[in-house]
Amino acid sequence: AQTVTQSQPEMSVQEAETVTLSCTYDTSESDYYLFWYKQPPSRQMILVIRQEAYKQQNATENRFSVNFQKAAKSFSLKISDSQLGDAAMYFCAYRSAFYEKLTFGTGTRLTIIP
Amino acid sequence: KAGVTQTPRYLIKTRGQQVTLSCSPISGHRSVSWYQQTPGQGLQFLFEYFSETQRNKGNFPGRFSGRQFSNSRSEMNVSTLELGDSALYLCASSLAAARDIQYFGAGTRLSVL
């Protein structure tokens, strides 16, 4: 079974600074997807970024980028120029290329300090 | 385009009752997945429906069931409610294949008293 581990329950960063959230996973599959989802107090899970395992290039979405290390099974999220609206719970998630099921980590609560 | 809609947003039930939650996917999406979110267990996969058929199922007791209608709308039912069923229930929809992105609704907060 696949597992996803987020070892940082809470993180804080000064507004406009850069922060990195960590995620490791375990799988025996070779074809899969990794995601970072954001869950603000409104509860709606919002997709931040997606990485396809067969792509070596790290995904980037505006201020959000990932460091995908397939051999190390590591998938960290870097948020540049942090904004107050980035405050939320961030979940790392794994999905096999063959099934819809998402396996989530326990989440990291990110606080932005004005 | 409207997002994933879950109703109701909040629900209060007592132990032993049953409850039905509803999820309307994004137009054109044929796959609907359900997740349970609790402080203790985190986010856990319940099941996934595609074209009115359950394709995948998580590790939950048989009290948890679901179905999908021909218009892709899905319902989740929990019978004989227990206190531990109190949770946020999230629904996600995607086009069809596992390679497609899942989009989530705002969830239904169920409280069992």
Side-chain angles (χ1 to χ4, degrees):
Chain A
Q2 295 79 25
T3 59
V4 177
T5 302
Q6 292 179 250
S7 58
Q8 305 156 314
E10 296 184 357
M11 292 280 286
S12 61
V13 63
Q14 294 276 356
E15 194 176 1
E17 296 295 307
T18 295
V19 64
T20 298
L21 309 184
S22 301
C23 173
T24 58
Y25 61 95
D26 190 29
T27 184
S28 58
E29 298 177 324
S30 58
D31 195 6
Y32 53 87
Y33 298 87
L34 296 166
F35 305 83
W36 280 97
Y37 278 92
K38 165 185 174 181
Q39 188 178 40
S42 66
R43 309 178 331 202
Q44 181 134 21
M45 199 76 77
I46 301 164
L47 177 67
V48 174
I49 201 163
R50 176 175 82 155
Q51 176 75 44
E52 297 168 60
Y54 61 85
K55 287 188 177 177
Q56 291 189 333
Q57 187 173 5
N58 289 324
T60 300
E61 287 287 342
N62 300 314
R63 298 182 295 107
F64 299 88
S65 62
V66 299
N67 183 3
F68 174 48
Q69 301 290 326
K70 191 172 184 178
K73 294 180 182 173
S74 170
F75 182 61
S76 61
L77 174 70
K78 185 172 82 170
I79 305 174
S80 304
D81 185 27
S82 298
Q83 300 175 1
L84 294 178
D86 294 334
M89 281 290 287
Y90 285 81
F91 292 95
C92 178
Y94 170 100
R95 193 174 82 199
S96 164
F98 306 102
Y99 302 101
E100 287 285 338
K101 171 188 173 183
L102 282 164
T103 300
F104 288 90
T106 51
T108 296
R109 182 175 303 280
L110 179 64
T111 301
I112 310 297
I113 304 166
Chain B
K1 193 183 249 190
V4 179
T5 303
Q6 291 189 247
T7 57
R9 291 294 306 276
Y10 301 90
L11 211 45
I12 299 175
K13 292 286 186 180
T14 56
R15 278 183 300 174
Q17 287 187 311
Q18 76 167 24
V19 67
T20 299
L21 313 182
S22 179
C23 173
S24 292
I26 292 171
S27 178
H29 285 195
R30 295 169 64 192
S31 169
V32 173
S33 299
W34 289 89
Y35 296 85
Q36 181 196 63
Q37 185 176 21
T38 61
Q41 299 297 317
L43 282 148
Q44 294 185 286
F45 172 77
L46 280 154
F47 30 63
E48 183 243 344
Y49 286 87
F50 175 78
S51 291
E52 302 178 65
T53 301
Q54 187 181 88
R55 272 201 307 199
N56 291 291
K57 188 178 189 303
N59 189 26
F60 278 81
R63 299 185 299 104
F64 291 82
S65 63
R67 59 178 176 168
Q68 186 180 35
F69 301 95
S70 58
N71 62 358
S72 294
R73 189 178 71 86
S74 177
E75 287 182 348
M76 191 193 95
N77 184 274
V78 188
S79 62
T80 319
L81 283 166
E82 300 177 359
L83 295 179
D85 298 333
S86 293
L88 178 66
Y89 291 88
L90 293 166
C91 164
S93 76
S94 68
L95 277 170
R99 298 177 182 273
D100 300 319
I101 292 172
Q102 290 188 19
Y103 295 90
F104 283 80
T108 294
R109 171 78 68 188
L110 171 65
S111 297
V112 182
L113 306 178

